[in-house]
Amino acid sequence: MQNISPINPELMDTLIKASDSDWIPQPLDPNKAFMRILYTGAESGRWAVLFRWLKGFVAPPHKHLSASHTFILSGKLQVRDGTLDAGDYVYEPNGMIHGATTALEDTDYLFICDGPVLFFDDNGFTAYLGWEELRRLQASHAASKKAGAKKAKPAAKAAAKPAAKTVAKASAKPAAKAKAKPAARKAKAA
Protein backbone atom coordinates (compact mmCIF):
# COMPACT_ATOMS: atom_id res chain seq x y z
CA MET A 1 0.00 0.00 0.00
CA GLN A 2 1.27 3.46 -0.92
CA ASN A 3 1.97 5.86 1.95
CA ILE A 4 -0.07 9.02 1.37
CA SER A 5 0.54 10.71 4.73
CA PRO A 6 1.86 14.27 4.40
CA ILE A 7 5.60 14.79 4.61
CA ASN A 8 4.88 17.84 6.76
CA PRO A 9 2.76 16.59 9.69
CA GLU A 10 2.02 20.21 10.67
CA LEU A 11 -0.17 20.81 7.61
CA MET A 12 -3.56 22.09 8.64
CA ASP A 13 -6.77 23.28 7.03
CA THR A 14 -7.55 26.98 7.20
CA LEU A 15 -10.99 27.67 8.64
CA ILE A 16 -12.36 31.20 8.62
CA LYS A 17 -15.69 31.92 10.27
CA ALA A 18 -16.68 34.78 7.99
CA SER A 19 -19.53 35.82 10.27
CA ASP A 20 -16.94 36.52 13.00
CA SER A 21 -14.89 38.84 10.80
CA ASP A 22 -15.46 42.49 10.05
CA TRP A 23 -16.62 44.05 6.82
CA ILE A 24 -13.59 46.17 5.90
CA PRO A 25 -14.38 49.29 3.85
CA GLN A 26 -12.76 49.24 0.40
CA PRO A 27 -10.58 52.25 -0.45
CA LEU A 28 -12.35 52.64 -3.82
CA ASP A 29 -15.53 53.74 -2.00
CA PRO A 30 -15.55 53.11 1.77
CA ASN A 31 -19.24 54.02 2.01
CA LYS A 32 -20.53 51.55 -0.58
CA ALA A 33 -17.94 48.77 -0.93
CA PHE A 34 -16.83 46.35 1.78
CA MET A 35 -14.99 43.04 2.02
CA ARG A 36 -14.37 40.18 4.38
CA ILE A 37 -10.92 38.78 3.73
CA LEU A 38 -11.08 35.01 3.83
CA TYR A 39 -7.62 33.97 2.63
CA THR A 40 -4.35 35.45 1.41
CA GLY A 41 -1.62 33.13 0.17
CA ALA A 42 1.87 34.59 0.10
CA GLU A 43 3.30 31.46 -1.52
CA SER A 44 0.89 31.50 -4.47
CA GLY A 45 -0.50 35.05 -4.59
CA ARG A 46 -4.01 33.60 -4.40
CA TRP A 47 -6.65 35.36 -2.32
CA ALA A 48 -10.31 34.91 -1.48
CA VAL A 49 -12.74 37.56 -0.26
CA LEU A 50 -16.44 38.12 0.23
CA PHE A 51 -17.37 41.41 -1.38
CA ARG A 52 -20.42 43.43 -0.34
CA TRP A 53 -21.23 46.21 -2.78
CA LEU A 54 -24.18 48.45 -2.08
CA LYS A 55 -26.48 49.48 -4.91
CA GLY A 56 -24.83 52.11 -7.09
CA PHE A 57 -21.21 51.20 -6.32
CA VAL A 58 -19.08 51.23 -9.46
CA ALA A 59 -15.74 49.40 -9.58
CA PRO A 60 -13.53 51.16 -12.14
CA PRO A 61 -12.14 49.48 -15.24
CA HIS A 62 -9.54 46.86 -14.40
CA LYS A 63 -7.30 44.12 -15.71
CA HIS A 64 -6.98 40.70 -14.13
CA LEU A 65 -3.28 39.85 -13.90
CA SER A 66 -4.33 36.28 -13.12
CA ALA A 67 -7.41 34.10 -13.35
CA SER A 68 -10.38 34.68 -11.03
CA HIS A 69 -13.61 33.00 -10.00
CA THR A 70 -16.76 34.87 -9.01
CA PHE A 71 -19.92 33.43 -7.46
CA ILE A 72 -22.86 35.76 -6.81
CA LEU A 73 -24.47 34.98 -3.44
CA SER A 74 -27.14 37.68 -3.56
CA GLY A 75 -27.95 40.77 -5.58
CA LYS A 76 -27.10 41.74 -9.14
CA LEU A 77 -24.00 43.08 -10.94
CA GLN A 78 -23.67 44.68 -14.36
CA VAL A 79 -20.47 43.29 -15.90
CA ARG A 80 -19.53 44.26 -19.46
CA ASP A 81 -22.57 43.45 -21.63
CA GLY A 82 -24.28 41.17 -19.14
CA THR A 83 -25.91 40.95 -15.76
CA LEU A 84 -24.86 38.53 -13.05
CA ASP A 85 -27.65 37.37 -10.74
CA ALA A 86 -27.62 35.38 -7.49
CA GLY A 87 -26.35 31.87 -8.23
CA ASP A 88 -24.29 32.90 -11.28
CA TYR A 89 -20.63 31.87 -11.58
CA VAL A 90 -18.00 33.54 -13.75
CA TYR A 91 -14.47 32.45 -14.58
CA GLU A 92 -12.22 35.24 -15.85
CA PRO A 93 -8.92 34.18 -17.42
CA ASN A 94 -5.55 35.80 -16.83
CA GLY A 95 -5.29 39.04 -18.82
CA MET A 96 -9.02 39.81 -18.88
CA ILE A 97 -9.71 43.53 -19.25
CA HIS A 98 -13.09 45.05 -18.74
CA GLY A 99 -14.81 48.32 -18.03
CA ALA A 100 -16.62 49.39 -14.92
CA THR A 101 -18.66 46.89 -12.91
CA THR A 102 -21.81 48.25 -11.29
CA ALA A 103 -23.87 46.96 -8.37
CA LEU A 104 -27.46 47.15 -9.63
CA GLU A 105 -28.66 45.98 -6.20
CA ASP A 106 -26.97 45.42 -2.86
CA THR A 107 -24.75 42.47 -3.79
CA ASP A 108 -22.67 39.91 -1.91
CA TYR A 109 -20.29 37.71 -3.84
CA LEU A 110 -17.40 35.32 -3.35
CA PHE A 111 -14.28 36.26 -5.31
CA ILE A 112 -11.26 33.97 -5.58
CA CYS A 113 -8.29 35.34 -7.49
CA ASP A 114 -4.95 33.75 -8.34
CA GLY A 115 -3.10 37.08 -8.31
CA PRO A 116 -3.53 40.85 -8.46
CA VAL A 117 -6.11 43.04 -10.15
CA LEU A 118 -4.99 46.36 -11.63
CA PHE A 119 -7.44 49.30 -11.81
CA PHE A 120 -7.00 52.08 -14.34
CA ASP A 121 -8.57 55.10 -15.98
CA ASP A 122 -7.73 57.19 -19.07
CA ASN A 123 -4.70 58.65 -17.29
CA GLY A 124 -3.13 55.38 -16.14
CA PHE A 125 -3.13 53.00 -13.19
CA THR A 126 -5.25 54.07 -10.21
CA ALA A 127 -5.19 51.10 -7.79
CA TYR A 128 -3.88 47.61 -7.26
CA LEU A 129 -5.47 44.80 -5.29
CA GLY A 130 -3.60 41.61 -4.43
CA TRP A 131 -2.78 39.49 -1.38
CA GLU A 132 -0.21 41.99 -0.04
CA GLU A 133 -2.58 44.93 -0.26
CA LEU A 134 -5.32 42.86 1.41
CA ARG A 135 -3.01 42.12 4.35
CA ARG A 136 -2.18 45.83 4.62
CA LEU A 137 -5.89 46.68 4.66
CA GLN A 138 -6.49 44.05 7.37
CA ALA A 139 -3.67 45.42 9.52
CA SER A 140 -4.85 49.01 9.07
CA HIS A 141 -8.43 48.06 9.95
CA ALA A 142 -7.30 46.14 13.05
CA ALA A 143 -5.17 49.10 14.19
CA SER A 144 -8.10 51.51 13.69
CA LYS A 145 -10.37 49.22 15.68
CA LYS A 146 -7.83 48.93 18.48
CA ALA A 147 -7.33 52.72 18.62
CA GLY A 148 -11.11 53.20 18.70
CA ALA A 149 -11.43 50.71 21.56
CA LYS A 150 -8.75 52.53 23.58
CA LYS A 151 -10.58 55.85 23.10
CA ALA A 152 -13.88 54.25 24.10
CA LYS A 153 -12.53 52.77 27.38
CA PRO A 154 -11.97 56.09 29.22
CA ALA A 155 -15.35 57.35 28.04
CA ALA A 156 -17.00 54.11 29.16
CA LYS A 157 -15.34 54.35 32.61
CA ALA A 158 -16.46 57.96 33.01
CA ALA A 159 -19.99 57.03 32.02
CA ALA A 160 -20.00 54.03 34.36
CA LYS A 161 -19.05 56.02 37.49
CA PRO A 162 -22.15 58.26 37.59
CA ALA A 163 -24.31 55.26 36.76
CA ALA A 164 -22.83 53.36 39.71
CA LYS A 165 -23.51 56.29 42.05
CA THR A 166 -27.06 56.57 40.78
CA VAL A 167 -27.64 52.86 41.37
CA ALA A 168 -26.14 53.09 44.87
CA LYS A 169 -28.34 56.08 45.76
CA ALA A 170 -31.43 54.44 44.33
CA SER A 171 -30.82 51.21 46.23
CA ALA A 172 -29.98 53.10 49.47
CA LYS A 173 -33.41 54.77 49.60
CA PRO A 174 -35.47 51.58 49.74
CA ALA A 175 -33.10 50.17 52.36
CA ALA A 176 -33.48 53.31 54.51
CA LYS A 177 -37.28 53.09 54.22
CA ALA A 178 -37.19 49.40 55.11
CA LYS A 179 -35.20 50.17 58.30
CA ALA A 180 -37.53 53.04 59.16
CA LYS A 181 -40.70 50.90 58.98
CA PRO A 182 -39.70 48.40 61.68
CA ALA A 183 -38.71 51.30 63.96
CA ALA A 184 -42.10 52.94 63.35
CA ARG A 185 -43.87 49.62 64.08
CA LYS A 186 -41.99 49.26 67.37
CA ALA A 187 -42.99 52.82 68.33
CA LYS A 188 -46.67 52.05 67.60
CA ALA A 189 -46.53 48.80 69.57
CA ALA A 190 -45.14 50.59 72.64
Side-chain angles (χ1 to χ4, degrees), residues 29-98:
D29 185 344
N31 296 313
K32 287 191 173 186
F34 309 90
M35 66 181 129
R36 282 184 166 158
I37 300 169
L38 304 175
Y39 172 80
T40 56
E43 72 288 343
S44 66
R46 182 173 292 127
W47 47 283
V49 296
L50 284 176
F51 281 122
R52 171 168 286 167
W53 290 357
L54 302 183
K55 182 178 179 179
F57 171 72
V58 179
H62 53 279
K63 178 177 183 175
H64 293 260
L65 301 180
S66 65
S68 69
H69 306 265
T70 300
F71 183 77
I72 308 298
L73 299 166
S74 64
K76 188 179 289 198
L77 294 178
Q78 177 74 45
V79 180
R80 292 180 290 285
D81 298 354
T83 302
L84 301 176
D85 296 303
D88 289 350
Y89 164 83
V90 176
Y91 169 76
E92 295 180 288
N94 184 3
M96 189 71 182
I97 296 177
H98 53 84

Side-chain angles (χ1 to χ4, degrees), residues 69-136:
H69 306 265
T70 300
F71 183 77
I72 308 298
L73 299 166
S74 64
K76 188 179 289 198
L77 294 178
Q78 177 74 45
V79 180
R80 292 180 290 285
D81 298 354
T83 302
L84 301 176
D85 296 303
D88 289 350
Y89 164 83
V90 176
Y91 169 76
E92 295 180 288
N94 184 3
M96 189 71 182
I97 296 177
H98 53 84
T101 301
T102 305
L104 301 175
E105 299 175 356
D106 291 354
T107 303
D108 289 351
Y109 68 98
L110 175 64
F111 186 76
I112 302 170
C113 200
D114 292 335
V117 175
L118 195 59
F119 296 90
F120 60 90
D121 64 16
D122 292 339
N123 298 317
F125 302 124
T126 59
Y128 163 93
L129 190 59
W131 74 271
E132 294 167 307
E133 190 59 23
L134 290 168
R135 286 195 183 172
R136 286 183 192 106

